[in-house]
Amino acid sequence: MTSLGDAFHSAPLDETLRAAIEADGLRIDRVGDDDRAASDRWTDAVARGFLDGERNDLQRGEAFARSRYRRKIGVYDPAAVQPDEPVTTFASWIAELTLPGGAAIPMCAISAVTVAPTHRRRRLLSRVMAGELRTAVAQGAPIAGLTVSESGIYGRFGFAPAAAATSWEIRTRRAGWIGPVAPGRLDYVTREQARDAAAALHERTRLASPGEIAMPGGHWDRTYGTRPDAEKAERLRAVQYRSPEGEVEGVALYSVSENDDDWSASNATVHQLLAVTDAAYAGLWRFLLSLDLIGTVRASELSLDEPLWWMIADQRAARITIADHHYLRILDVPTVLAARGYDVDDVVALEVTDPLGIADGTFVLSAGEKPGVDVVDEAPLGIPRATLGVAELSAILLGGVSPVTLARAGRIETDDAHRLARVFASTTTPRLSFWY
Ligand SMILES: CC(C)(COP(=O)(O)OP(=O)(O)OC[C@H]1O[C@@H](n2cnc3c(N)ncnc32)[C@H](O)[C@@H]1OP(=O)(O)O)[C@@H](O)C(=O)NCCC(=O)NCCS
């Protein structure tokens, strides 16, 4: 863990948060990294919140062993029949987020947010979120991020979808491959081999794609079915692409399910495809779209602008659905905007409002090769000016949506949306290839 990661992990709870919870007759606590009993109850509460069954001992043990990197918070109700069962769970850790231009900045990643059905709509999430974001700010995290169960929850806290995800359903017989034929070779590998290759490949692919974050601990074994409590791991198949020089440049993990009505038109689901070269990307997708006995290939968490769409002869063979996916929330405007890359030299003024009072202010962004951000009292005359919420600023950060679109949607007020759009444009469509 980085020093910021360590400091954030062990930071004390925000005192305003503690007081607000105690004023309600409740108790708030960190779940100790070594407290197995508290971790088990916390894990069970998370499972209940996400509609899962009660955890068994194997699952609890794995969750305990693999979640130490998370700062885990529980709110408890002393009057409950089970006062040691949390009625609110919340986890966070410092990850690395890739920005346009390739810089990776520390990000407070948030997960496992649940409030027990018996305690919902009492502002428990609101209080814990505000308190934990204050702690993230106090420790120096410039941005927060999460993936969401429902779109309507987090806008009020200043989050906005910054990288959309697409889900694909491709009718393989109709698609027709017109992409390159890759020169390398494909081999089936074990799930363990694929997991290890994928971990190394992702460290490269994530830095090439705005919106990606470093894979959280435990995710590799969960994705590749290589942890002892994995379910249906035997359904997973892994294939690896090697260049003619013998370099492992890509890996794909998929599973198949039979179509009882027509066995020769069965289904394949791609769980992960990582490629560090265009050849590996083409080689793996061509392989997946030409599997015998498979009529439909499904894949999700792809980007809005996939080369794959231009590698099939019949684009209508692919049904593509778009969804909001990676939500970001800027905490420190100057740090985040100065870390991003810009392809044009320009100066714009941003008047930012923040529902939680964390990131408001007026900022002058000098975009260009060496970007700079000044905090000012008033937007200077003679440069484009924009008034926007921190959610809207977070939405345009990765270049996933144009400020022109948000201005037309009434979400940004500006006297020159097009200049603003040129400043925030990104030549790479942002993407996050998994959930966290
Ligand atoms: C989502 C959840 C954590 C909300 O907790 P909560 O303590 O009830 O939330 P709060 O009382 O702080 O609600 C704050 C505001 O958000 C709104 N809100 C809460 N949950 C919402 C939802 N699912 N959809 C839309 N709005 C929601 C509330 O109505 C309230 O609105 P207001 O400020 O206009 O009054 C809780 O409902 C839950 O555990 N859901 C199931 C698990 C889940 O989906 N977790 C989120 C994972 S990303």
Side-chain angles (χ1 to χ4, degrees):
M1 240 191 265
T2 60
S3 54
L4 170 60
D6 282 338
F8 176 70
H9 185 76
S10 50
L13 283 170
D14 177 82
E15 278 312 316
T16 309
L17 166 60
R18 190 187 291 283
I21 296 293
E22 288 175 358
D24 215 2
L26 305 173
R27 180 171 71 79
I28 183 163
D29 233 333
R30 300 257 332 264
V31 176
D33 296 338
D34 300 320
D35 189 340
R36 171 74 199 262
S39 163
D40 286 357
R41 290 189 290 265
W42 191 91
T43 300
D44 273 354
V46 174
R48 186 179 55 200
F50 287 121
L51 314 182
D52 267 332
E54 195 177 286
R55 304 289 82 186
N56 60 39
D57 273 346
L58 182 61
Q59 291 166 324
R60 289 179 187 135
E62 287 297 309
F64 172 66
R66 291 166 188 273
S67 65
R68 281 166 188 273
Y69 71 96
R70 293 178 169 213
R71 171 185 167 88
K72 298 191 286 269
I73 309 288
V75 174
Y76 303 85
D77 184 346
V81 174
Q82 300 178 85
D84 294 330
E85 288 261 310
V87 295
T88 300
T89 62
F90 193 100
S92 50
W93 67 97
I94 300 296
E96 256 190 17
L97 168 74
T98 305
L99 297 179
I105 59 167
M107 181 192 86
C108 173
I110 296 168
S111 181
V113 174
T114 72
V115 171
T118 46
H119 289 67
R120 282 194 186 146
R121 309 303 180 259
R122 284 172 52 172
R123 313 207 74 73
L124 278 169
L125 168 61
S126 303
R127 284 176 271 175
V128 174
M129 175 63 83
E132 283 297 275
L133 288 180
R134 282 194 297 272
T135 299
V137 172
Q139 296 302 322
I143 193 163
L146 37 76
T147 52
V148 309
S149 59
E150 290 188 85
S151 305
I153 306 173
Y154 295 101
R156 61 177 46 80
F157 306 120
F159 288 84
T166 52
S167 298
W168 293 51
E169 191 180 299
I170 309 169
R171 276 167 287 166
T172 56
R173 307 248 156 75
R174 186 173 161 183
W177 185 261
I178 55 167
V181 176
R185 60 171 289 156
L186 293 160
D187 291 288
Y188 277 105
V189 292
T190 66
R191 284 182 276 119
E192 285 77 10
Q193 289 168 328
R195 173 201 60 197
D196 294 346
L201 292 167
H202 189 257
E203 276 306 292
R204 292 167 65 188
T205 55
R206 75 175 171 97
L207 295 171
S209 173
E212 290 282 4
I213 66 168
M215 193 69 101
H219 263 52
W220 290 117
D221 283 324
R222 192 193 309 157
T223 306
Y224 283 80
T226 46
R227 51 190 271 179
D229 61 342
E231 286 166 20
K232 297 193 186 144
E234 69 284 355
R235 307 286 318 167
L236 298 169
R237 302 282 176 206
V239 67
Q240 156 190 295
Y241 175 91
R242 266 185 296 170
S243 71
E245 293 73 38
E247 289 294 314
V248 176
E249 293 182 344
V251 67
L253 182 74
Y254 72 95
S255 59
V256 296
S257 63
E258 289 161 22
N259 176 352
D260 292 335
D261 297 329
D262 181 356
W263 201 60
S264 70
S266 290
N267 305 300
T269 300
V270 183
H271 302 284
Q272 186 166 63
L273 188 150
L274 289 167
V276 293
T277 60
D278 293 340
Y281 180 92
L284 289 166
W285 275 118
R286 180 166 179 257
F287 169 81
L288 291 163
L289 295 188
S290 56
L291 288 169
D292 288 333
L293 307 178
I294 298 297
T296 307
V297 169
R298 292 189 177 81
S300 49
E301 288 82 63
L302 303 188
S303 93
L304 258 181
D305 190 15
E306 286 287 335
L308 176 61
W309 209 46
W310 299 92
M311 293 171 150
I312 52 177
D314 183 346
Q315 292 185 328
R316 291 188 195 176
R319 203 157 55 210
I320 303 170
T321 320
I322 304 171
D324 52 315
H325 184 47
H326 200 187
Y327 279 64
L328 297 182
R329 200 268 189 229
I330 294 174
L331 300 169
D332 176 342
V333 174
T335 300
V336 171
L337 292 189
R340 189 194 185 278
Y342 301 90
D343 294 329
V344 296
D345 289 308
D346 206 351
V347 183
V348 295
L350 306 166
E351 294 168 334
V352 180
T353 54
D354 184 340
L356 301 188
I358 293 173
D360 2 32
T362 302
F363 307 91
V364 174
L365 164 65
S366 305
E369 213 173 317
K370 289 205 176 81
V373 181
D374 291 320
V375 183
V376 296
D377 289 334
E378 228 176 289
L381 297 173
I383 58 172
R385 182 201 54 82
T387 305
L388 70 177
V390 70
E392 285 71 23
L393 185 62
S394 304
I396 63 175
L397 176 68
L398 303 178
V401 61
S402 165
V404 171
T405 307
L406 290 194
R408 291 183 60 199
R411 303 261 316 243
I412 292 181
E413 201 191 297
T414 176
D415 50 9
D416 199 336
H418 290 272
R419 250 169 92 182
L420 202 62
R422 280 191 285 274
V423 167
F424 280 93
S426 167
T427 48
T428 310
T429 306
R431 176 188 179 202
L432 174 70
S433 55
F434 58 93
W435 292 76
Y436 64 89

